[in-house]
Amino acid sequence: MSESIQTQTISPTDSGTLYGKPGLDLFLVQTPLCRAVIARQGAQLLEFQAAGCEPLLWLSPKACFEPGEPVRGGIPLCLPWFGINNQDPEKPKHGLVRTEPWQLASGKELEGGEVELVFTYRHPGNELFSAPFFCTMTMRLGRELELHLELENRDEETAEYSWAWHTYFPVDDVREIKVRGLENTEYLDKTRGLERFTQEGVLTFSGEVDRVFENAPEQQQIITGDAITAHSKNCHTVITWNPGAELAATLEDVSDHYREYVCVEHGNAFANSWRLESRQTATASLRLIR
């Protein structure tokens, strides 16, 4: 990492300093364009706020910062499987990379004042996921947020990967918001045994919503106080989720805070999962604006 970036805009800190809950190594980024907090665990962006704008991400006030435990909020990366593992439901939900330490490979300031951070993770292959792979996550932090994922299958055989950026967006009240950009798109409803339906009109959240939109459009917009726009490339699956009051009551790190966020997640899962041949690489990107 360049010395100027390290001393002027990136401060290594810990979760105890920022959140009063020690346990995780963090990077605090502060520039004239934005403020961001990233956990080394999972290369998980916990906070992002462009100058003069409302926060882009929601982080649970009850989030856990214990090493090896998922952090509720921000943008966890779920990979190499999304949701429950189809072959072994006893394996951790949403894969393994979100609870593993990543390496900050580089950091630099771009010409327009944005900061670019590159995180890497190497999976050697083990009992959780037999295929070795190498993953690179690039973040561009400025007036907008850009994420870029590159995944290489390093197994000798073809391997299947399902994944998503599990983004938590802050909203005024989830029961009053709308999500545009998924109209007339088919989805699997996880609250009804993965039955297939077609989204009629804009999406609203009167109760628990857990929908998987395969072959989804590239752009969605969350209509809340300040609208949030998500534009993706090569992310063919969009997952929309809020637990609603009943399920939230069973989630210790959510409980009565469920009204404060909505998840509109982008990736490639279910029918859109990546099947990569040996040494094959796939890429995807996501741009978020508020």
Side-chain angles (χ1 to χ4, degrees):
M1 188 187 340
S2 83
E3 187 66 22
S4 61
I5 293 293
Q6 185 174 13
T7 58
Q8 294 179 21
T9 62
I10 299 180
S11 301
T13 182
D14 63 82
S15 53
T17 301
L18 292 182
Y19 304 115
K21 301 175 183 178
L24 296 183
D25 294 331
L26 307 178
F27 297 99
L28 172 62
V29 177
Q30 297 187 95
T31 76
L33 299 183
C34 68
R35 178 185 185 275
V37 180
I38 306 104
R40 184 186 299 276
Q41 175 174 287
Q44 182 171 343
L45 192 58
L46 301 178
E47 297 184 49
F48 177 83
Q49 184 172 8
C53 297
E54 293 296 313
L56 181 66
L57 303 176
W58 179 82
L59 180 65
S60 173
K62 298 184 177 182
C64 172
F65 292 95
E66 293 293 329
E69 295 295 325
V71 180
R72 175 78 68 184
I75 311 182
L77 175 63
C78 303
L79 189 148
W81 64 86
F82 176 83
I84 296 173
N85 187 287
N86 292 330
Q87 281 71 44
D88 185 356
E90 296 301 315
K91 290 183 178 181
K93 190 177 181 182
H94 292 318
L96 55 91
V97 304
R98 66 175 179 159
T99 55
E100 291 290 323
W102 288 50
Q103 298 298 315
L104 178 57
S106 66
K108 62 182 179 181
E109 185 173 351
L110 304 180
E111 185 174 343
E114 296 176 315
V115 169
E116 181 181 89
L117 304 180
V118 179
F119 291 88
T120 60
Y121 175 77
R122 184 183 66 85
H123 177 65
N126 57 22
E127 67 280 358
L128 285 178
F129 192 76
S130 60
F133 61 84
F134 186 78
C135 190
T136 301
M137 177 123 69
T138 302
M139 302 179 182
R140 290 183 180 174
L141 311 170
R143 298 193 183 279
E144 301 175 359
L145 170 63
E146 293 186 32
L147 301 177
H148 182 82
L149 178 70
E150 182 174 297
L151 177 65
E152 180 189 6
N153 175 26
R154 292 190 170 179
D155 197 12
E156 297 303 317
E157 306 291 336
T158 298
E160 181 172 303
Y161 301 86
S162 68
W163 66 276
W165 281 302
H166 196 321
T167 310
Y168 290 76
F169 295 106
V171 297
D172 296 331
D173 188 331
V174 73
R175 300 169 300 177
E176 299 176 1
I177 69 162
K178 300 175 181 179
V179 174
R180 293 177 178 164
L182 296 167
E183 298 89 333
N184 304 315
T185 304
E186 289 190 352
Y187 65 89
L188 304 172
D189 193 329
K190 296 178 73 175
T191 71
R192 290 186 277 185
L194 292 177
E195 287 189 58
R196 188 175 293 273
F197 301 91
T198 298
Q199 178 64 40
E200 298 181 2
V202 297
L203 177 60
T204 58
F205 296 77
S206 59
E208 180 185 357
V209 172
D210 196 350
R211 300 180 180 181
V212 178
F213 293 84
E214 298 171 324
N215 306 312
E218 290 186 339
Q219 182 167 302
Q220 289 75 44
Q221 188 173 50
I222 301 168
I223 308 301
T224 183
D226 288 333
I228 301 170
T229 301
H231 186 85
S232 65
K233 290 290 186 182
N234 202 25
C235 295
H236 301 296
T237 309
V238 172
I239 303 101
T240 57
W241 178 67
N242 182 275
E246 185 175 348
L247 178 58
T250 70
L251 303 174
E252 185 176 346
D253 52 1
V254 176
S255 61
D256 55 348
H257 294 283
Y258 76 94
R259 298 178 184 178
E260 302 170 4
Y261 76 88
V262 66
C263 288
V264 180
E265 312 164 35
H266 295 78
N268 289 285
F270 291 77
N272 302 129
S273 297
W274 283 343
R275 285 186 58 82
L276 302 182
E277 297 178 2
S278 178
R279 298 295 170 174
Q280 184 180 1
T281 297
T283 63
S285 62
L286 177 65
R287 180 162 60 97
L288 302 175
I289 309 166
R290 182 160 208 176

